């Protein structure tokens, strides 16, 4: 069987080689920027919260959150090199990807909750930052919690439903950048009563002294446990009342930096679901390149979230697991040529809820089923054969020594979704991993049947989640 697999792979690669030898491969220019040196940045949070007035947005039905690229430095990161920080990020990313795959394979929804939609109001926005220099591959938003509002970092995560925050008193809390939220100092905090309809909707609930308790466990062993409650969230001066969230007193695992998590998944208690009635169940974000600049982009809820330049692919429902945003990936092209070995069957979501492809803001590196990844990698290596190879780095097995160069030509990469062809900028798939000119092909293989489109490949696109139309879109150069 192993011999047959090798022979088939060789046959597909040979067919690709014959095709590209008879045609001209398509290339694009990659401008080279090494991984930036870590710097401690002084942030004036109040000034950033007041920056931008959202004047380009519809004041009646649009919610926007401003996104910036700013690296936060934890105390343990002060003396870390860019190389070490990036390696830490990839290690945490691997844990997350495995946890998502394990969850999908088990067909069990972790962290799914129920909640009530929020009533209407005016626009509001919030700054969002990259967590790269804390070893996190995620993006953080700055949100006010409670009354009066205490501003904290919250992870933006389309792979999770529940909204939760660390709360004092702590049985055990991880280190975060802000003081831990104290619900006793908030006049709007309200615990959910044990036995109430909201409490009964929890997947994993218990009671203590007539209070409803929640628990969210993740596949990597991380968990948060505490009081299930409702609270006011504030976005640049605009208040949303009665947002259902978990107030965690015991939070352990691989969490880093942020005070909690803003769930943007498809489940019943996710923030888009709670705010969906007001904003037409449409939102989008654009994630700026972490290594490029600190220019802002936005997370938007409402009609303005739908870019006119976006190409759309239908959302696929997984009846076994409602958290994730599944899409149909039909193939990948390298250098303008479809890779023959990458067929739609490699990404099929079966009747049991296994397999498929999800788009996830919290995973950094795109994972493809192993056969698809090997075929993609080999095709890219062939097209980039003139570039000097470098040793493997972490999970990356295709790296290049580009030291001394300011730009290189690399084969184009296009991801073909049903109804939408997404051409990736070169910086979305050949990325710096140190400050010495080492660049790696930013895809990885997985033995799981589930493939994940990560945020490195999403950078620079406005990714549109049109839940009302059951579709997901990509608009290039969408961060302006």
């Amino acid at each position: 069987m192993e011999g047959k697999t090798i022979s088939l792979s060789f046959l597909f690669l040979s067919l690709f080689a014959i095709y590209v030898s008879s045609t001209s491969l398509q290339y694009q220019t990659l401008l080279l920027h090494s991984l930036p040196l870590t710097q401690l940045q002084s942030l004036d949070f109040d000034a950033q919260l007041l920056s931008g007035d959202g004047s380009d947005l519809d004041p009646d039905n649009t919610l926007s959150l401003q996104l910036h690229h700013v690296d936060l430095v934890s105390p343990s990161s002060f003396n870390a090199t860019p190389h070490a920080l990036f390696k830490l990020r990839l290690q945490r990313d691997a844990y997350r990807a495995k946890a998502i795959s394990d969850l999908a394979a088990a067909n069990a929804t972790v962290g799914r909750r129920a909640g009530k939609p929020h009533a209407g109001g005016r626009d509001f926005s919030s700054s969002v930052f990259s967590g790269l220099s804390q070893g996190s591959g995620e993006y953080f938003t700055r949100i006010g919690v409670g009354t009066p509002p205490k501003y904290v970092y919250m992870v933006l995560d389309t792979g999770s439903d529940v909204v939760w925050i660390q709360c004092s008193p702590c049985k055990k809390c991880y280190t975060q950048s802000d003081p831990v939220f104290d619900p006793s100092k908030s006049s709007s905090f309200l615990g959910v009563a044990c036995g109430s309809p909201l409490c009964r909707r929890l997947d994993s609930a218990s009671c203590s002294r007539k209070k409803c308790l929640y628990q969210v466990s993740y596949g990597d062993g991380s968990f948060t446990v505490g009081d299930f409650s409702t609270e006011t969230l504030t976005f640049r001066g605009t208040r949303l009342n009665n947002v259902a969230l978990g107030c965690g007193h015991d939070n352990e695992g691989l969490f880093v930096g942020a005070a909690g998590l803003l769930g943007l998944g498809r489940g019943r208690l996710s923030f888009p679901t709670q705010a969906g009635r007001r904003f037409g169940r449409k939102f989008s974000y654009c994630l700026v390149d972490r290594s490029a600049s600190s220019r802002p982009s936005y997370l938007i809820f409402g009609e303005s979230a739908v870019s006119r330049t976006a190409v759309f692919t239908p959302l696929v429902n997984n009846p076994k697991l409602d958290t994730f945003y599944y899409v149909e990936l039909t193939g990948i092209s390298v250098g303008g040529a479809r890779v023959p070995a990458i067929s739609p069957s490699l990404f099929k979501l079966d009747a049991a809820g296994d397999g498929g492809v999800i788009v996830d803001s919290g995973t950094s590196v795109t994972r493809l089923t192993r056969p698809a990844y090997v075929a993609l990698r080999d095709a890219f290596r062939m097209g980039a054969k003139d570039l000097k190879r470098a040793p493997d780095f972490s999970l990356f097995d295709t790296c290049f020594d580009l030291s001394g160069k300011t730009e290189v030509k690399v084969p184009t990469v296009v991801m073909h979704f049903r109804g939408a062809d997404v051409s990736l900028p070169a910086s979305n798939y050949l990325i710096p991993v140190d400050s010495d000119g080492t660049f790696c092909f930013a895809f990885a293989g997985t033995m799981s049947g589930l493939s994940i489109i990560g945020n490195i490949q999403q950078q620079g696109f406005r990714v549109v989640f049109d839940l009302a139309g059951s579709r997901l879109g990509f608009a290039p150069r969408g961060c302006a």
Side-chain angles (χ1 to χ4, degrees):
M1 181 61 69
E2 182 178 355
K4 289 182 180 180
T5 301
I6 294 174
S7 297
L8 286 173
S9 298
F10 179 77
L11 174 60
F12 283 126
L13 191 57
S14 299
L15 289 173
F16 183 80
I18 293 171
Y19 179 89
V20 299
S21 65
S22 62
T23 60
S24 296
L25 277 180
Q26 296 176 5
Y27 287 82
Q28 62 180 323
T29 300
L30 172 65
L31 300 178
L32 302 179
H33 302 280
S34 295
L35 204 65
L37 295 174
T38 302
Q39 297 178 349
L40 178 62
Q41 305 197 26
S42 177
L43 304 178
D44 183 344
F45 298 131
D46 291 335
Q48 294 191 34
L49 287 164
L50 295 173
S51 64
D53 61 4
S55 59
D56 56 327
L57 303 175
D58 184 340
D60 294 323
N61 64 358
T62 299
L63 152 67
S64 72
L65 295 86
Q66 190 174 20
L67 282 78
H68 296 274
H69 166 73
V70 178
D71 290 338
L72 308 173
V73 182
S74 62
S76 63
S77 301
F78 286 162
N79 299 316
T81 65
H83 180 279
L85 286 169
F86 193 72
K87 201 160 199 174
L88 177 61
R89 167 187 167 188
L90 293 178
Q91 290 171 348
R92 290 196 169 115
D93 196 53
Y95 281 118
R96 177 187 173 88
K98 184 179 185 301
I100 289 175
S101 296
D102 290 346
L103 175 59
N107 292 325
T109 304
V110 174
R112 186 170 56 189
R113 300 292 185 269
K116 297 181 289 185
H118 178 73
R122 67 181 178 89
D123 288 2
F124 54 94
S125 62
S126 165
S127 296
V128 175
F129 310 88
S130 163
L132 174 59
S133 61
Q134 293 198 42
S136 172
E138 298 167 315
Y139 286 82
F140 299 163
T141 187
R142 191 81 174 159
I143 295 177
V145 180
T147 305
K150 301 297 183 182
Y151 283 90
V152 295
Y153 291 108
M154 300 280 277
V155 172
L156 297 178
D157 190 359
T158 60
S160 299
D161 292 329
V162 69
V163 180
W164 63 268
I165 184 173
Q166 291 201 110
C167 289
S168 64
C170 285
K171 177 181 179 182
K172 187 168 186 180
C173 290
Y174 60 88
T175 301
Q176 64 179 59
S177 300
D178 302 289
V180 175
F181 177 69
D182 184 351
S184 68
K185 296 181 179 179
S186 170
S187 62
S188 54
F189 181 86
L190 182 64
V192 174
C194 185
S196 67
L198 187 55
C199 184
R200 288 198 299 267
R201 291 171 186 162
L202 292 170
D203 290 332
S204 180
S206 60
C207 294
S208 175
R209 299 178 182 176
K210 298 184 179 180
K211 295 190 300 184
C212 182
L213 305 181
Y214 81 100
Q215 176 173 347
V216 180
S217 300
Y218 300 92
D220 61 4
S222 302
F223 62 86
T224 173
V225 178
D227 300 321
F228 196 50
S229 60
T230 61
E231 181 57 289
T232 296
L233 300 185
T234 302
F235 299 78
R236 294 184 66 227
T238 298
R239 296 157 54 89
L240 277 76
N241 300 319
N242 302 318
V243 177
L245 55 77
C247 186
H249 299 288
D250 187 1
N251 316 285
E252 304 179 37
L254 297 176
F255 308 122
V256 58
L261 184 143
L262 184 68
L264 297 175
R266 299 179 76 179
R268 295 173 295 171
L269 192 63
S270 73
F271 187 77
T273 299
Q274 294 196 59
R277 188 172 297 173
R278 172 180 176 180
F279 301 109
R281 302 180 64 218
K282 298 173 184 177
F283 73 97
S284 68
Y285 57 68
C286 190
L287 307 178
V288 295
D289 185 343
R290 297 178 186 86
S291 63
S293 72
S294 59
R295 70 188 188 278
S297 66
Y298 298 88
L299 172 67
I300 303 171
F301 285 79
E303 291 299 325
S304 297
V306 182
S307 171
R308 295 178 181 178
T309 62
V311 291
F312 286 93
T313 185
L315 284 169
V316 178
N317 292 321
N318 183 350
K320 304 292 184 179
L321 190 60
D322 64 3
T323 298
F324 301 133
Y325 293 96
Y326 283 86
V327 292
E328 186 177 341
L329 183 63
T330 61
I332 303 176
S333 292
V334 174
R338 284 257 192 172
V339 182
I342 302 180
S343 64
S345 62
L346 295 177
F347 308 113
K348 185 176 179 56
L349 177 66
D350 64 27
D354 297 322
V357 179
I358 67 170
V359 175
D360 182 33
S361 68
T363 299
S364 293
V365 178
T366 290
R367 265 82 171 173
L368 301 175
T369 57
R370 185 69 185 171
Y373 169 70
V374 170
L376 172 63
R377 176 201 65 190
D378 291 350
F380 185 82
R381 284 178 177 177
M382 182 174 296
K385 61 182 182 296
D386 293 335
L387 299 180
K388 182 181 178 181
R389 290 290 299 274
D392 298 351
F393 178 87
S394 186
L395 77 167
F396 298 136
D397 61 7
T398 301
C399 299
F400 302 92
D401 179 2
L402 304 181
S403 57
K405 299 180 183 295
T406 58
E407 63 180 49
V408 293
K409 296 287 187 181
V410 295
T412 58
V413 174
V414 179
M415 305 189 76
H416 302 287
F417 299 93
R418 180 182 166 194
D421 295 332
V422 179
S423 181
L424 299 179
S427 58
N428 285 32
Y429 56 87
L430 197 60
I431 64 172
V433 297
D434 58 26
S435 55
D436 300 320
T438 304
F439 285 70
C440 294
F441 189 53
F443 287 82
T446 175
M447 299 308 294
S448 165
L450 178 69
S451 295
I452 305 172
I453 308 299
N455 60 39
I456 289 176
Q457 282 65 39
Q458 298 175 49
Q459 286 176 172
F461 289 91
R462 178 150 296 281
V463 184
V464 181
F465 297 79
D466 182 359
L467 306 185
S470 191
R471 60 180 186 164
L472 187 146
F474 298 90
R477 298 175 294 280
C479 290

